[in-house]
């Protein structure tokens, strides 16, 4: 047994398999990551231009035992020393989620440990607690990923109030579609980010959508259509597309909307702490834009390192810790819920 493992410490073994990363981690007291193992499938799916659910599920089955063993080994701990097993049960790809849920149930049952189901998006928000020990609710958080764009108030651990959400495409989805359209390939987010560094963000004026019913809601389908129209028009006219300029201008339009909504909401609701979460939170222009805007508005800005922005199990371990300490326990009938909404249990 590890010398520094006292009775008061709580250790969570966490499993994440909601999309195309097979991951496991050991988290101590909800804040300290002892191991964080991620087996990525990006190379497998790149040839298809996106994640193929059946391939993702098969790869999870192949890798899941290995990443769990590696997580315990890197933490220099045994399964017996864990206090609970946490697992993502939604939202995500149903087949992919089922692999993680089945693994977590089997481990928890065999080792006689409590099982804790974790909401994937709550996991992303919780990633902020890893490197910011001083950050505690309440605060405002912008969640931006391939499937989600939400502006929320984190009222308490595991308790959220949604102020705004996307009405159509998520920000990450728009990045992927635009990247595909200009031939940058998959994954779109990092490719656009990289290309944009060489371009002029003011080169093309793309629209910023406003949603009448709720000023804090987002809409990216019009922007995506404007970019596709620009590409088609250039092709029809036989003009060459300046990919870095297009990428920078598109990215600038997305970041502009995300940042302005977040700052406006923080001011209206009187929040002096703002965080970002999700895969798109690793976008360099978004981080920079939020940093500047928060600094100007006198708001403390929090963000996870890129490794904790994309899917990982450490963030699931953090969320599981707060669920576990709050008394949440999942039954052996825990199932995958692919369309699980934020705030749903």
């Amino acid at each position: 047994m590890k010398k520094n493992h006292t009775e008061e410490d709580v250790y969570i073994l966490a499993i994440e398999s909601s999309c195309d990363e097979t991951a496991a981690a050991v988290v101590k007291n909800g804040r300290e990551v002892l191991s964080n193992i991620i087996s990525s499938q990006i190379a497998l799916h790149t040839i298809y231009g996106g994640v193929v659910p059946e391939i993702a599920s098969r790869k999870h089955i192949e890798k899941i035992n290995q990443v769990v063993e590696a997580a315990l080994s890197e933490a220099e701990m045994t399964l017996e020393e864990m206090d609970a097993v946490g697992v993502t049960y939604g939202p995500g790809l149903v087949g992919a989620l089922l692999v993680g849920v089945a693994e977590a149930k089997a481990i928890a049952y065999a080792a006689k440990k409590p099982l804790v189901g974790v909401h994937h998006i709550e996991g992303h928000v919780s990633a902020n607690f890893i490197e910011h020990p001083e950050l505690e609710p309440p605060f405002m958080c912008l969640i931006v990923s391939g499937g989600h764009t939400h502006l929320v108030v984190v009222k308490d651990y595991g308790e959220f109030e949604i102020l705004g959400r996307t009405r159509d495409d998520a920000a990450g989805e728009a990045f992927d579609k635009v990247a595909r359209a200009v031939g940058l390939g998959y994954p779109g987010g990092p490719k656009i980010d990289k290309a944009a560094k060489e371009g002029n963000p003011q080169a093309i004026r793309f629209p910023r959508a406003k949603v009448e019913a709720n000023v804090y809601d987002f809409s990216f389908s019009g922007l995506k259509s404007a970019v596709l129209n620009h590409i088609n028009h250039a092709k029809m006219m036989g003009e060459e597309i300046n990919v870095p300029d297009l990428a920078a201008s598109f990215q600038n339009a997305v970041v502009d909307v995300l940042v302005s909504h977040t700052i406006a909401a923080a001011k209206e609701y009187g929040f002096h702490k703002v965080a970002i979460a999700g895969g798109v939170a690793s976008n360099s222009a978004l981080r920079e834009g939020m940093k500047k805007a928060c600094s100007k508005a006198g708001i403390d800005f929090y963000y996870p390192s890129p490794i904790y922005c994309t899917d990982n199990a450490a963030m699931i371990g953090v969320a599981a810790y707060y669920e576990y300490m709050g008394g949440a326990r999942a039954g052996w009938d825990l199932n995958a819920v692919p369309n699980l909404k934020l705030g749903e249990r």
Side-chain angles (χ1 to χ4, degrees):
M1 191 178 270
K2 283 193 101 176
K3 295 181 189 70
N4 62 352
H5 183 176
T6 65
E7 287 304 307
E8 294 82 59
D9 291 328
V10 174
Y11 294 88
I12 306 272
L13 170 66
I15 294 169
E16 152 65 27
S17 68
S18 67
C19 190
D20 62 337
E21 264 91 14
T22 318
V26 174
V27 176
K28 173 181 172 182
N29 298 334
R31 297 278 177 160
E32 195 183 331
V33 178
L34 302 185
S35 63
N36 188 32
I37 307 296
I38 302 167
S39 173
S40 175
Q41 304 178 10
I42 283 179
L44 270 182
H45 299 283
T46 298
I47 48 172
Y48 302 104
V51 178
V52 181
E54 291 80 2
I55 293 175
S57 305
R58 281 203 292 273
K59 203 68 187 170
H60 285 312
I61 292 167
E62 201 180 297
K63 293 287 183 188
I64 194 117
N65 283 328
Q66 296 168 24
V67 296
V68 169
E69 281 168 23
L72 288 167
S73 167
E74 191 176 284
E76 294 178 5
M77 297 188 78
T78 63
L79 189 52
E80 286 64 47
E81 291 174 280
M82 296 298 112
D83 291 276
V85 179
V87 64
T88 303
Y89 72 102
L93 302 172
V94 66
L97 288 164
L98 282 167
V99 177
V101 170
E103 175 86 357
K105 284 204 273 195
I107 290 172
Y109 185 78
K112 298 183 172 61
K113 301 291 179 187
L115 178 67
V116 180
V118 174
H119 192 298
H120 181 72
I121 303 303
E122 292 187 17
H124 275 302
V125 174
S126 302
N128 281 287
F129 299 133
I130 296 168
E131 295 156 307
H132 305 293
E134 74 286 4
L135 178 62
E136 289 181 345
F139 59 91
M140 190 166 282
C141 188
L142 173 69
I143 305 159
V144 259
S145 67
H148 302 268
T149 305
H150 283 80
L151 185 55
V152 304
V153 173
V154 183
K155 296 165 87 165
D156 203 346
Y157 296 108
E159 198 185 327
F160 302 86
E161 182 190 343
I162 300 171
L163 300 179
R165 67 182 81 199
T166 181
R167 292 298 185 90
D168 37 61
D169 291 22
E173 210 178 331
F175 271 98
D176 283 341
K177 286 172 179 171
V178 168
R180 200 175 297 140
V182 292
L184 288 173
Y186 174 86
K191 300 273 176 82
I192 293 258
D193 197 359
K194 190 178 176 197
K197 286 183 167 62
E198 310 295 317
N200 171 14
Q202 309 301 329
I204 309 157
R205 175 72 192 174
F206 287 125
R208 275 79 165 147
K210 278 193 167 54
V211 180
E212 288 300 316
N214 180 2
V215 290
Y216 299 127
D217 275 354
F218 303 95
S219 170
F220 295 109
S221 70
L223 169 60
K224 181 193 68 190
S225 299
V227 176
L228 298 180
N229 288 341
H230 179 88
I231 295 166
N232 292 336
H233 180 74
K235 282 178 181 165
M236 276 161 54
M237 304 303 282
E239 294 165 5
E240 196 160 319
I241 294 160
N242 183 321
V243 174
D245 277 0
L246 186 133
S249 301
F250 161 73
Q251 182 173 267
N252 185 40
V254 174
V255 169
D256 190 12
V257 170
L258 293 172
V259 172
S260 62
H261 280 34
T262 307
I263 299 299
K267 285 178 176 172
E268 184 184 334
Y269 288 87
F271 279 95
H272 297 287
K273 291 188 288 187
V274 166
I276 54 173
V280 183
S282 60
N283 177 280
S284 63
L286 177 60
R287 290 161 95 87
E288 209 42 55
M290 286 293 286
K291 243 185 233 175
K292 277 186 187 155
C294 284
S295 167
K296 192 177 168 189
I299 294 167
D300 292 332
F301 176 49
Y302 301 89
Y303 51 94
S305 290
I307 189 74
Y308 295 127
C309 288
T310 47
D311 290 352
N312 66 90
M315 68 183 195
I316 301 304
V318 176
Y321 167 82
Y322 288 106
E323 290 286 310
Y324 172 77
M325 295 307 278
R329 303 288 184 273
W332 301 124
D333 59 348
L334 179 70
N335 205 351
V337 185
N339 299 319
L340 190 67
K341 303 277 187 292
L342 188 63
E344 283 183 355
R345 283 284 182 277

